[in-house]
Structures are given as structure tokens and as C-alpha cells.
Amino acid sequence: MDEETEVVAAQVGNIIEFQGMKGRVEKVNDNSVIVDITMDKNFDEHEMFEKTVVNHKRYTIVEE
């Protein structure tokens, strides 16, 4: 079995990047974060909901 690298979870208020989008973390769960993506410059083009769930393994922290 492969040894997993430790995932550093974002905190509420952090800006994260995932799938080419940016958002502000609103809630931290065990395996994921809830992110407000309305701040992303391309939000209107994606026709998405205002919030989304992102697994801790799928984002990088851009700003703390």
C-alpha cells in the first residue's frame, strides 16, 4: 500500500484554488470544505451554484 501524504486542511476564510477556480472557505468538514465561489472572476460563465464542496485532496491554499 502507498503511504499517503498528509493533507493540510484549509481554515475558514482561506482562499483556495481548485479546477482553475478560486473561492473562500466557509466551512471545514472532516474530508472536505464548503467554498463560496462567487468571488471567482469567471463565476458567471460557469452557471454553477454559489457554493460547492471540495475534497481536501483537490485544492491548494492560495491565501490564508
Side-chain angles (χ1 to χ4, degrees):
M1 235 174 139
D2 292 328
E3 193 174 318
E4 289 191 34
T5 56
E6 187 175 333
V7 177
V8 177
Q11 301 297 316
V12 173
N14 287 162
I15 305 298
I16 63 168
E17 186 171 22
F18 60 98
Q19 296 180 341
M21 297 180 68
K22 290 183 180 177
R24 182 176 312 278
V25 175
E26 291 198 341
K27 184 175 182 192
V28 180
N29 299 320
D30 289 339
N31 297 312
S32 61
V33 290
I34 297 176
V35 184
D36 179 348
I37 56 172
T38 58
M39 67 174 296
D40 187 81
K41 63 182 177 181
N42 298 322
F43 172 71
D44 292 332
E45 295 174 15
H46 292 294
E47 295 183 7
M48 295 178 66
F49 292 107
E50 295 176 353
K51 296 179 183 167
T52 190
V53 177
V54 183
N55 185 287
H56 290 308
K57 297 177 183 176
R58 306 268 184 227
Y59 63 80
T60 55
I61 300 172
V62 178
E63 182 181 320
E64 293 189 17

Coordinates of all heavy atoms in Angstrom, one line a residue:
M1 N 0.8 -1.2 0.0 CA 0.0 0.0 0.0 C 0.9 1.2 0.0 O 1.9 1.3 0.7 CB -0.9 0.0 1.3 CG -2.3 0.1 1.0 SD -3.3 -0.1 2.5 CE -4.4 1.2 2.2
D2 N 0.5 2.2 -0.8 CA 1.2 3.5 -0.8 C 1.0 4.3 0.5 O -0.1 4.3 1.0 CB 0.8 4.4 -2.0 CG 1.2 3.7 -3.3 OD1 2.2 3.1 -3.4 OD2 0.4 3.9 -4.3
E3 N 2.0 5.0 0.9 CA 1.9 5.8 2.0 C 1.3 7.2 1.6 O 1.8 7.8 0.7 CB 3.3 6.1 2.6 CG 3.3 6.7 4.0 CD 4.7 6.8 4.6 OE1 5.5 5.8 4.4 OE2 5.0 7.8 5.2
E4 N 0.2 7.5 2.3 CA -0.4 8.8 1.9 C 0.3 10.0 2.4 O 0.8 9.9 3.6 CB -1.9 8.8 2.4 CG -2.8 7.8 1.7 CD -4.2 8.0 2.0 OE1 -4.6 9.2 2.3 OE2 -4.9 7.0 2.1
T5 N 0.3 11.1 1.7 CA 0.9 12.3 2.2 C -0.1 13.0 3.0 O -1.3 12.9 2.8 CB 1.3 13.2 1.0 OG1 0.2 13.5 0.2 CG2 2.4 12.6 0.2
E6 N 0.4 13.7 4.0 CA -0.6 14.4 4.9 C -1.2 15.6 4.2 O -0.5 16.4 3.6 CB 0.2 14.9 6.2 CG -0.7 15.4 7.2 CD 0.0 15.8 8.5 OE1 1.1 15.2 8.7 OE2 -0.4 16.7 9.2
V7 N -2.5 15.7 4.3 CA -3.2 16.7 3.7 C -3.4 17.8 4.7 O -3.9 17.6 5.8 CB -4.6 16.2 3.2 CG1 -5.4 17.4 2.6 CG2 -4.4 15.1 2.1
V8 N -3.1 19.1 4.3 CA -3.2 20.2 5.2 C -4.6 20.8 4.9 O -4.8 21.3 3.7 CB -2.1 21.2 5.1 CG1 -2.4 22.5 5.9 CG2 -0.8 20.6 5.4
A9 N -5.5 20.8 5.8 CA -6.9 21.3 5.5 C -6.9 22.9 5.6 O -6.2 23.4 6.5 CB -7.9 20.8 6.5
A10 N -7.6 23.5 4.8 CA -7.8 24.9 4.8 C -8.6 25.3 6.0 O -9.3 24.5 6.6 CB -8.5 25.4 3.5
Q11 N -8.6 26.5 6.4 CA -9.3 27.1 7.5 C -10.4 28.0 7.0 O -10.3 28.5 5.9 CB -8.4 27.8 8.5 CG -7.3 27.0 9.1 CD -7.9 25.8 9.9 OE1 -8.8 25.9 10.7 NE2 -7.3 24.6 9.7
V12 N -11.4 28.3 7.8 CA -12.5 29.2 7.4 C -11.9 30.6 7.0 O -11.0 31.1 7.8 CB -13.5 29.4 8.5 CG1 -14.5 30.5 8.1 CG2 -14.2 28.0 8.7
G13 N -12.2 31.1 5.9 CA -11.7 32.4 5.4 C -10.5 32.3 4.4 O -10.2 33.2 3.7
N14 N -9.9 31.1 4.4 CA -8.8 30.9 3.4 C -9.3 31.0 2.0 O -10.5 30.6 1.7 CB -8.1 29.6 3.6 CG -7.3 29.4 4.8 OD1 -7.0 28.3 5.2 ND2 -6.9 30.5 5.4
I15 N -8.5 31.4 1.1 CA -8.8 31.4 -0.4 C -8.1 30.1 -0.9 O -6.9 29.9 -0.7 CB -8.3 32.6 -1.1 CG1 -8.8 33.9 -0.4 CG2 -8.7 32.6 -2.6 CD1 -10.3 34.1 -0.4
I16 N -8.9 29.3 -1.6 CA -8.3 28.1 -2.2 C -8.5 28.1 -3.7 O -9.4 28.9 -4.2 CB -9.0 26.8 -1.6 CG1 -10.5 26.7 -1.9 CG2 -8.7 26.7 -0.1 CD1 -11.1 25.4 -1.6
E17 N -7.8 27.3 -4.4 CA -7.9 27.2 -5.8 C -8.1 25.7 -6.2 O -7.5 24.8 -5.6 CB -6.6 27.7 -6.5 CG -6.8 27.7 -8.0 CD -5.6 28.4 -8.7 OE1 -4.5 28.5 -8.1 OE2 -5.8 28.8 -9.9
F18 N -9.1 25.4 -7.1 CA -9.4 24.1 -7.5 C -10.0 24.1 -8.9 O -10.7 25.0 -9.2 CB -10.4 23.4 -6.5 CG -11.7 24.2 -6.4 CD1 -12.8 23.8 -7.1 CD2 -11.8 25.3 -5.6 CE1 -14.0 24.5 -7.1 CE2 -13.0 26.0 -5.6 CZ -14.1 25.6 -6.3
Q19 N -9.6 23.2 -9.7 CA -10.1 23.1 -11.1 C -10.1 24.4 -11.8 O -11.0 24.8 -12.5 CB -11.5 22.5 -11.1 CG -11.6 21.1 -10.6 CD -13.0 20.5 -10.6 OE1 -14.0 21.3 -10.6 NE2 -13.1 19.2 -10.5
G20 N -9.1 25.2 -11.5 CA -9.0 26.5 -12.2 C -9.8 27.6 -11.7 O -9.9 28.7 -12.2
M21 N -10.5 27.4 -10.5 CA -11.4 28.4 -9.9 C -10.8 28.7 -8.5 O -10.1 27.9 -7.9 CB -12.8 27.8 -9.8 CG -13.5 27.5 -11.1 SD -15.1 26.9 -10.9 CE -15.9 28.3 -10.3
K22 N -11.3 29.9 -8.0 CA -10.9 30.3 -6.7 C -12.2 30.5 -5.9 O -13.2 30.9 -6.4 CB -10.1 31.6 -6.7 CG -8.7 31.4 -7.2 CD -7.9 32.7 -7.2 CE -6.5 32.4 -7.7 NZ -5.7 33.7 -7.7
G23 N -12.0 30.3 -4.5 CA -13.2 30.5 -3.7 C -12.7 30.7 -2.2 O -11.6 30.4 -1.9
R24 N -13.6 31.2 -1.4 CA -13.4 31.4 0.0 C -14.0 30.3 0.8 O -15.2 30.0 0.7 CB -13.9 32.8 0.5 CG -13.6 33.1 1.9 CD -14.1 34.5 2.3 NE -13.7 35.5 1.4 CZ -12.5 36.1 1.4 NH1 -11.6 35.8 2.3 NH2 -12.2 37.1 0.6
V25 N -13.2 29.7 1.7 CA -13.7 28.6 2.5 C -14.7 29.1 3.6 O -14.4 30.1 4.3 CB -12.5 27.9 3.3 CG1 -13.1 26.8 4.2 CG2 -11.6 27.3 2.2
E26 N -15.9 28.5 3.6 CA -16.9 28.9 4.6 C -17.1 27.9 5.7 O -17.5 28.3 6.8 CB -18.2 29.1 3.9 CG -18.2 30.3 3.0 CD -19.6 30.8 2.6 OE1 -20.6 30.0 2.8 OE2 -19.7 32.0 2.2
K27 N -16.8 26.6 5.5 CA -16.9 25.6 6.5 C -15.9 24.5 6.2 O -15.7 24.1 5.1 CB -18.4 25.0 6.5 CG -18.6 24.0 7.6 CD -20.0 23.6 7.7 CE -20.1 22.6 8.9 NZ -21.3 21.9 8.9
V28 N -15.4 23.9 7.3 CA -14.4 22.8 7.1 C -15.1 21.6 7.7 O -15.5 21.6 8.8 CB -13.1 23.1 7.9 CG1 -12.1 22.0 7.8 CG2 -12.5 24.4 7.4
N29 N -15.1 20.5 6.9 CA -15.6 19.2 7.3 C -14.5 18.3 7.4 O -13.3 18.6 7.1 CB -16.6 18.7 6.3 CG -17.8 19.6 6.1 OD1 -18.4 20.1 7.1 ND2 -18.3 19.8 4.9
D30 N -14.8 17.0 7.8 CA -13.7 16.0 8.0 C -12.9 15.8 6.7 O -11.7 15.7 6.7 CB -14.3 14.7 8.5 CG -14.7 14.8 9.9 OD1 -14.3 15.7 10.7 OD2 -15.6 13.9 10.3
N31 N -13.6 15.6 5.6 CA -12.9 15.3 4.3 C -13.0 16.3 3.3 O -12.6 16.1 2.1 CB -13.5 14.0 3.8 CG -13.3 12.8 4.7 OD1 -12.2 12.6 5.2 ND2 -14.3 12.1 5.0
S32 N -13.7 17.4 3.6 CA -13.9 18.4 2.5 C -14.1 19.8 3.1 O -14.2 20.0 4.3 CB -15.2 18.1 1.7 OG -16.3 18.0 2.6
V33 N -14.2 20.8 2.2 CA -14.6 22.2 2.7 C -15.8 22.6 1.8 O -16.0 22.2 0.7 CB -13.4 23.2 2.5 CG1 -12.3 22.9 3.5 CG2 -12.8 23.1 1.1
I34 N -16.5 23.6 2.4 CA -17.6 24.2 1.6 C -17.1 25.6 1.2 O -16.6 26.3 2.1 CB -18.9 24.3 2.4 CG1 -19.4 22.9 2.8 CG2 -20.0 25.1 1.7 CD1 -20.6 22.9 3.7
V35 N -17.2 25.9 -0.1 CA -16.5 27.0 -0.6 C -17.5 28.0 -1.3 O -18.3 27.5 -2.1 CB -15.4 26.6 -1.7 CG1 -14.7 27.8 -2.2 CG2 -14.5 25.6 -1.1
D36 N -17.4 29.3 -1.1 CA -18.2 30.3 -1.8 C -17.4 30.7 -3.0 O -16.3 31.2 -2.9 CB -18.4 31.5 -0.9 CG -19.2 32.6 -1.5 OD1 -19.4 32.6 -2.8 OD2 -19.6 33.5 -0.8
I37 N -17.9 30.4 -4.2 CA -17.1 30.6 -5.4 C -17.6 31.9 -6.2 O -17.1 32.1 -7.3 CB -17.2 29.4 -6.3 CG1 -18.6 29.0 -6.7 CG2 -16.4 28.2 -5.8 CD1 -18.8 28.0 -7.7
T38 N -18.4 32.7 -5.5 CA -18.9 33.9 -6.2 C -17.7 34.9 -6.5 O -17.9 35.8 -7.3 CB -20.0 34.6 -5.4 OG1 -19.5 34.9 -4.1 CG2 -21.2 33.7 -5.3
M39 N -16.6 34.8 -5.7 CA -15.5 35.7 -5.9 C -14.7 35.4 -7.2 O -13.9 36.2 -7.6 CB -14.6 35.6 -4.7 CG -13.8 34.3 -4.5 SD -12.6 34.3 -3.2 CE -11.5 35.5 -3.8
D40 N -14.9 34.2 -7.7 CA -14.1 33.8 -8.9 C -14.5 34.7 -10.1 O -15.7 35.0 -10.3 CB -14.4 32.3 -9.3 CG -13.5 31.8 -10.4 OD1 -12.3 31.5 -10.1 OD2 -13.9 31.8 -11.5
K41 N -13.5 35.1 -10.8 CA -13.7 36.1 -11.9 C -14.6 35.5 -13.0 O -15.2 36.2 -13.7 CB -12.4 36.6 -12.5 CG -11.6 35.5 -13.1 CD -10.2 36.1 -13.6 CE -9.4 35.0 -14.2 NZ -8.1 35.4 -14.6
N42 N -14.6 34.2 -13.1 CA -15.4 33.5 -14.2 C -16.7 32.9 -13.6 O -17.2 32.0 -14.3 CB -14.5 32.4 -14.9 CG -13.4 33.0 -15.6 OD1 -13.4 34.1 -16.2 ND2 -12.2 32.4 -15.5
F43 N -17.1 33.2 -12.4 CA -18.2 32.6 -11.8 C -19.5 32.6 -12.7 O -20.2 31.6 -12.9 CB -18.5 33.3 -10.5 CG -19.8 32.8 -9.9 CD1 -19.9 31.5 -9.3 CD2 -21.0 33.6 -9.8 CE1 -21.1 31.1 -8.8 CE2 -22.1 33.2 -9.3 CZ -22.2 31.9 -8.7
D44 N -19.8 33.8 -13.3 CA -21.0 33.9 -14.1 C -20.9 33.0 -15.4 O -22.0 32.5 -15.8 CB -21.2 35.3 -14.6 CG -21.5 36.3 -13.4 OD1 -22.1 35.8 -12.4 OD2 -21.2 37.5 -13.5
E45 N -19.8 32.7 -15.9 CA -19.6 31.8 -17.1 C -19.9 30.4 -16.8 O -20.3 29.6 -17.6 CB -18.2 32.0 -17.7 CG -17.9 33.4 -18.2 CD -16.5 33.5 -18.6 OE1 -15.8 32.5 -18.8 OE2 -16.0 34.6 -18.8
H46 N -19.7 29.9 -15.5 CA -19.8 28.5 -15.2 C -21.2 28.1 -14.9 O -21.5 26.9 -15.0 CB -18.9 28.2 -14.0 CG -17.5 28.3 -14.2 ND1 -16.8 27.5 -15.0 CD2 -16.5 29.2 -13.7 CE1 -15.5 27.8 -15.1 NE2 -15.3 28.8 -14.3
E47 N -22.1 29.0 -14.7 CA -23.5 28.7 -14.4 C -23.6 27.6 -13.3 O -24.3 26.6 -13.4 CB -24.3 28.2 -15.7 CG -24.4 29.3 -16.7 CD -25.1 28.8 -17.9 OE1 -25.7 27.7 -17.9 OE2 -25.2 29.6 -18.9
M48 N -22.9 27.9 -12.2 CA -22.9 27.0 -11.1 C -23.6 27.6 -9.9 O -24.0 28.8 -9.9 CB -21.4 26.7 -10.6 CG -20.6 26.0 -11.6 SD -18.9 25.8 -11.1 CE -19.1 24.7 -9.7
F49 N -23.9 26.8 -8.9 CA -24.4 27.3 -7.6 C -23.3 28.2 -7.0 O -22.2 28.1 -7.3 CB -24.8 26.2 -6.7 CG -26.0 25.4 -7.1 CD1 -25.8 24.1 -7.6 CD2 -27.2 25.9 -7.1 CE1 -26.9 23.4 -8.1 CE2 -28.3 25.2 -7.5 CZ -28.1 23.9 -8.0
E50 N -23.7 29.0 -6.0 CA -22.8 29.9 -5.3 C -21.8 29.2 -4.5 O -20.7 29.7 -4.2 CB -23.6 30.9 -4.5 CG -24.5 31.9 -5.3 CD -25.3 32.8 -4.5 OE1 -25.3 32.6 -3.2 OE2 -26.0 33.7 -5.0
K51 N -22.2 28.0 -4.0 CA -21.3 27.3 -3.1 C -21.1 25.9 -3.6 O -21.9 25.3 -4.3 CB -21.9 27.2 -1.7 CG -21.9 28.6 -1.1 CD -22.5 28.6 0.3 CE -22.6 30.1 0.7 NZ -23.4 30.3 1.9
T52 N -19.9 25.3 -3.3 CA -19.6 23.9 -3.7 C -18.8 23.2 -2.7 O -18.2 23.9 -1.8 CB -18.9 23.9 -5.1 OG1 -18.9 22.6 -5.6 CG2 -17.5 24.5 -5.0
V53 N -18.7 21.9 -2.7 CA -18.0 21.1 -1.8 C -16.7 20.6 -2.5 O -16.8 20.2 -3.6 CB -18.8 19.9 -1.3 CG1 -18.0 19.0 -0.4 CG2 -20.0 20.4 -0.6
V54 N -15.6 20.8 -1.9 CA -14.3 20.3 -2.5 C -13.5 19.5 -1.5 O -13.3 19.9 -0.3 CB -13.4 21.6 -2.8 CG1 -12.1 21.1 -3.5 CG2 -14.2 22.5 -3.7
N55 N -13.1 18.3 -1.9 CA -12.3 17.4 -1.1 C -11.0 18.0 -0.8 O -10.4 18.7 -1.6 CB -12.1 16.1 -1.8 CG -11.5 15.0 -1.0 OD1 -10.3 15.1 -0.8 ND2 -12.2 14.0 -0.6
H56 N -10.5 17.7 0.4 CA -9.2 18.3 0.9 C -8.1 18.0 -0.1 O -7.1 18.7 -0.2 CB -8.8 17.8 2.3 CG -9.7 18.3 3.4 ND1 -9.9 19.7 3.5 CD2 -10.4 17.7 4.3 CE1 -10.7 19.8 4.6 NE2 -11.0 18.7 5.1
K57 N -8.1 16.9 -0.8 CA -7.1 16.5 -1.7 C -7.1 17.2 -3.0 O -6.2 17.1 -3.9 CB -7.2 14.9 -2.0 CG -7.0 14.1 -0.7 CD -7.1 12.7 -1.0 CE -7.0 11.8 0.2 NZ -7.3 10.4 0.0
R58 N -8.2 17.9 -3.3 CA -8.4 18.5 -4.6 C -8.2 20.0 -4.7 O -8.6 20.6 -5.7 CB -9.9 18.2 -5.0 CG -10.3 16.8 -5.0 CD -10.0 16.1 -6.3 NE -10.5 14.8 -6.2 CZ -9.8 13.7 -6.7 NH1 -8.6 13.9 -7.2 NH2 -10.3 12.5 -6.6
Y59 N -7.7 20.6 -3.7 CA -7.4 22.1 -3.7 C -6.1 22.4 -3.2 O -5.4 21.6 -2.5 CB -8.5 22.9 -3.0 CG -8.5 22.6 -1.5 CD1 -7.6 23.2 -0.6 CD2 -9.5 21.8 -0.9 CE1 -7.7 23.0 0.8 CE2 -9.6 21.6 0.4 CZ -8.6 22.2 1.3 OH -8.7 22.0 2.6
T60 N -5.6 23.7 -3.5 CA -4.4 24.2 -2.9 C -4.8 25.6 -2.2 O -5.7 26.3 -2.7 CB -3.3 24.5 -3.9 OG1 -3.8 25.3 -4.9 CG2 -2.8 23.2 -4.5
I61 N -4.2 25.9 -1.1 CA -4.5 27.1 -0.4 C -3.7 28.2 -1.1 O -2.5 28.1 -1.2 CB -4.1 27.0 1.1 CG1 -4.9 25.9 1.8 CG2 -4.3 28.3 1.8 CD1 -4.4 25.5 3.2
V62 N -4.4 29.3 -1.5 CA -3.8 30.4 -2.2 C -3.4 31.5 -1.2 O -2.4 32.1 -1.3 CB -4.7 30.9 -3.3 CG1 -4.1 32.1 -4.0 CG2 -5.0 29.8 -4.3
E63 N -4.4 31.8 -0.3 CA -4.2 32.9 0.6 C -4.8 32.5 2.0 O -5.9 32.0 2.0 CB -4.9 34.1 0.1 CG -4.8 35.3 0.9 CD -5.6 36.5 0.2 OE1 -5.6 36.6 -1.0 OE2 -6.3 37.2 1.0
E64 N -4.0 32.7 3.0 CA -4.5 32.3 4.4 C -5.1 33.5 5.1 O -4.9 34.6 4.7 CB -3.4 31.7 5.2 CG -3.0 30.4 4.7 CD -2.0 29.7 5.6 OE1 -1.9 30.1 6.8 OE2 -1.4 28.8 5.1

